[in-house]
């Protein structure tokens, strides 16, 4: 989930040991046009390695590089009188996700995305689902998000902080 890509994706699964998926392409345009964007306007490439051979656990490692040239300011700001020159937005993220089902149907899912350029956790989530009975499942969830806001966004003028969310959910069927 780091943008819509017009590009190519290739997956290989040698001998069923692991799956390696690579992708590369241009990002969907910021404005509606009848043409594809140029590579220099915005692109993404990355890879994901997954396996379920480690302790009966589905494990994935990923890397994504994303770059987008911002839309230029055509006129000076109404109140500042300044014209801003904003550098391209670069993102490099490394990810880890783990999913395991334990005895009794207890499920554990953990995901972590680390921002290599900003040197901080961009997103983390953990979910534990416990079957309380044959028809009731209880889930405990925790999320951490560090938003990324483009410098030419109206939201860049506000203080934006990381968020944490916690939830307890029940599912009765």
């Amino acid at each position: 989930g780091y943008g819509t890509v017009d590009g190519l994706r290739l997956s290989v699964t040698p001998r069923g040991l692991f799956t390696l998926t690579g992708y590369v392409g241009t990002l969907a345009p910021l404005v509606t046009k009848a043409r594809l964007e140029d590579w220099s306007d915005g692109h993404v490439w990355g890879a994901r390695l997954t396996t379920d051979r480690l302790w009966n656990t589905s494990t994935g490692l990923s890397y994504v590089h994303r770059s987008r040239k911002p839309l230029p300011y055509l006129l000076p700001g109404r109140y500042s009188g300044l014209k801003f020159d904003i550098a391209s937005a670069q993102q490099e993220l490394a990810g880890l996700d783990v999913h395991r089902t334990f005895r009794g149907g207890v499920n554990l899912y953990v995901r972590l995305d680390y921002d290599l350029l900003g040197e901080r956790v961009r997103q983390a989530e953990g979910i534990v689902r416990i079957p309380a009975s044959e028809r009731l499942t209880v889930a405990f969830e925790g999320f951490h998000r560090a938003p990324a806001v483009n410098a030419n966004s109206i939201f860049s003028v506000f203080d934006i902080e990381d968020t944490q969310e916690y939830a307890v959910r029940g599912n009765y069927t």
Side-chain angles (χ1 to χ4, degrees):
Y2 295 104
T4 303
V5 178
D6 293 321
L8 174 70
R9 185 179 93 177
L10 178 66
S11 292
V12 294
T13 307
R15 297 186 183 151
L17 297 174
F18 61 88
T19 300
L20 178 61
T21 303
Y23 52 90
V24 61
T26 58
L27 292 168
L30 288 173
V31 293
T32 306
K33 296 179 187 175
R35 69 172 184 86
L36 293 175
E37 292 287 293
D38 293 328
W39 180 260
S40 62
D41 290 338
H43 60 270
V44 64
W45 59 268
R48 179 175 163 85
L49 177 68
T50 58
T51 185
D52 59 2
R53 299 289 181 132
L54 302 170
W55 308 288
N56 292 326
T57 302
S58 175
T59 306
L61 295 172
S62 61
Y63 171 82
V64 65
H65 172 93
R66 185 176 188 270
S67 177
R68 181 177 296 279
K69 183 168 67 174
L71 294 174
Y73 282 93
L74 301 177
L75 299 171
R78 175 184 282 181
Y79 301 106
S80 69
L82 301 175
K83 225 175 165 180
F84 295 98
D85 184 25
I86 299 171
S88 292
Q90 300 280 334
Q91 293 180 0
E92 288 188 40
L93 301 173
L96 168 70
D97 58 278
V98 176
H99 177 249
R100 174 142 189 201
T101 301
F102 296 92
R103 281 188 208 156
V106 174
N107 274 296
L108 171 68
Y109 176 75
V110 176
R111 175 154 182 87
L112 176 75
D113 287 328
Y114 186 77
D115 182 344
L116 297 169
L117 298 177
E119 297 180 342
R120 66 183 185 148
V121 173
R122 171 69 66 82
Q123 180 173 311
E125 64 181 285
I127 303 170
V128 177
R129 287 190 179 88
I130 302 168
S133 71
E134 193 172 300
R135 301 189 74 181
L136 176 65
T137 302
V138 177
F140 300 92
E141 303 175 358
F143 300 95
H144 167 83
R145 289 187 178 82
V149 178
N150 293 331
N152 63 345
S153 166
I154 185 64
F155 298 108
S156 67
V157 300
F158 300 104
D159 280 338
I160 299 175
E161 297 180 2
D162 295 3
T163 61
Q164 283 76 24
E165 302 172 31
Y166 304 98
V168 176
R169 300 178 195 270
N171 184 24
Y172 184 78
T173 56

